[in-house]
Amino acid sequence: MSQLLPDGIFVIGAHIGFQIVLTSTPHAVDHGAPVIAAPQEQPFPGPGQQWRIHRVADSGLPGRYIIRPAYEEDGTTPVLTDNAQDDLLWVNNTQPVEWVINPTPRGFTIFNDKEQYLTAEHIGAQIRLGKPNSSPNQTWTLRFIAPAAG
């Protein structure tokens, strides 16, 4: 059962090391910009480490969200997306993917409608989309930074 999160800006922390967070890399490749697990910038998370999460109001199900970087470049609005060609996570200017954010005893799991879970394998690695398992690599922490701008 999913609980509702407030719309806002979050830092998404991986459970694979101290202050390791979901990070959108600044360079683009064939499918967009890779999303990796990287150490949090200090003293505050950088722009590529902040994510705007908002609930999909008309999805009919609780816990469905669109996740996009909190920053915008050149008037574009990239979104966190899966890719049919691989099992990796990207930021790209494409159709939004609905993500389910589900609470667990250890944190949150985040997965798409194909039940592919965000999986952080190790620091510096691109985030993978994997089958569900009980490993901490699929557990995330959501730290609220600010409310969504109107």
Side-chain angles (χ1 to χ4, degrees):
M1 177 76 173
S2 294
Q3 66 188 32
L4 297 179
L5 295 172
D7 289 355
I9 308 296
F10 291 82
V11 172
I12 303 174
H15 285 212
I16 60 169
F18 180 69
Q19 292 191 337
I20 304 302
V21 298
L22 199 66
T23 303
S24 173
T25 60
H27 63 280
V29 293
D30 292 342
H31 307 298
V35 178
I36 65 170
Q40 179 178 305
E41 295 175 15
Q42 298 297 328
F44 301 106
Q49 297 180 328
Q50 297 179 33
W51 300 89
R52 182 179 314 275
I53 299 176
H54 68 271
R55 189 169 74 83
V56 179
D58 60 348
S59 72
L61 298 170
R64 297 224 176 238
Y65 299 87
I66 302 294
I67 304 173
R68 63 181 74 243
Y71 65 88
E72 293 182 18
E73 291 181 358
D74 303 326
T76 63
T77 53
V79 295
L80 192 66
T81 185
D82 52 11
N83 187 301
Q85 298 173 8
D86 55 35
D87 64 348
L88 300 171
L89 194 63
W90 304 92
V91 169
N92 205 344
N93 291 320
T94 186
Q95 281 293 107
V97 171
E98 290 185 14
W99 297 96
V100 176
I101 299 176
N102 197 36
T104 70
R106 295 184 297 197
F108 292 89
T109 55
I110 303 171
F111 57 95
N112 62 17
D113 62 349
K114 297 175 241 171
E115 292 195 13
Q116 295 173 308
Y117 285 66
L118 269 60
T119 306
E121 293 181 331
H122 57 82
I123 297 168
Q126 188 168 0
I127 304 301
R128 294 202 164 277
L129 298 167
K131 295 184 189 296
N133 63 48
S134 61
S135 105
N137 299 38
Q138 292 183 341
T139 306
W140 303 87
T141 300
L142 300 175
R143 183 166 53 109
F144 184 77
I145 301 293

